[in-house]
Amino acid sequence: MSLLDDVAKRDGWRCWVCDEPVDADMPVNDPRGPSVDARTADRKAKVVERLAHRACNTRKGAVKVVIAWPDRLHVVEPAPLITVAERLERKGGRELVARCPSKKDAQEAADWLVDRFSRLVPGLPVTANVDAGGGQFLVALSAGRR
């Protein structure tokens, strides 16, 4: 149980998959209970243990998880966040991740992305930019190499 407690404290008792709180008092066999997920970007990557709800961990299995964009955000063609996270973590640089119909929508998406990436890839300094282009607003994430 010490590994679970250590990982959970480090992750702030939030599920890395759904980004919802994990109840420390919930039994580990309950679907909303805590579990440790060992996720890897590929076979050569080192294993990183992350806190996940038992159901989130079981549902994703051994395949790459899909991090959902919130329905409240107005985005067009949102990028798959795990793929973006892996590339930014590996190479750094800048990636366009979504298009939005208004500057307000783009800024909301940018703010959410910076907050989400702070937990998705802890320690990777990610910033978001909003740029006008083609009658819409583009959201880009940038990160330096670690």
Side-chain angles (χ1 to χ4, degrees):
M1 198 64 161
S2 66
L3 173 64
L4 174 62
D5 289 336
D6 293 343
V7 170
K9 286 177 187 171
R10 184 198 67 211
D11 290 351
W13 286 96
R14 287 187 86 85
C15 176
W16 84 271
V17 177
C18 71
D19 203 36
E20 294 294 322
V22 176
D23 186 349
D25 298 324
M26 193 71 73
V28 294
N29 290 327
D30 187 281
R32 298 295 293 170
S35 71
V36 174
D37 175 38
R39 79 170 178 102
T40 59
D42 57 39
R43 291 181 188 172
K44 297 177 186 175
K46 71 177 190 174
V47 174
V48 178
E49 285 119 356
R50 304 294 302 268
L51 181 68
H53 291 110
R54 170 72 54 204
C56 292
N57 198 357
T58 302
R59 184 173 44 250
K60 80 168 200 57
V63 299
K64 282 190 177 182
V65 70
V66 174
I67 301 296
W69 288 68
D71 291 335
R72 65 180 168 77
L73 296 176
H74 301 280
V75 295
V76 179
E77 297 177 356
L81 297 180
I82 292 294
T83 304
V84 171
E86 290 170 352
R87 267 195 303 264
L88 288 175
E89 191 173 25
R90 189 175 62 248
K91 300 186 321 185
R94 182 174 191 262
E95 290 225 12
L96 292 176
V97 293
R99 294 182 293 129
C100 298
S102 73
K103 187 170 186 170
K104 180 180 179 273
D105 292 334
Q107 191 58 57
E108 286 176 11
D111 293 343
W112 176 80
L113 284 162
V114 169
D115 178 59
R116 185 67 173 100
F117 269 68
S118 71
R119 290 181 301 283
L120 186 60
V121 191
L124 181 66
V126 173
T127 58
N129 297 22
V130 174
D131 301 313
Q136 56 196 345
F137 295 86
L138 307 173
V139 181
L141 290 180
S142 299
R145 286 187 165 201
R146 280 207 268 190

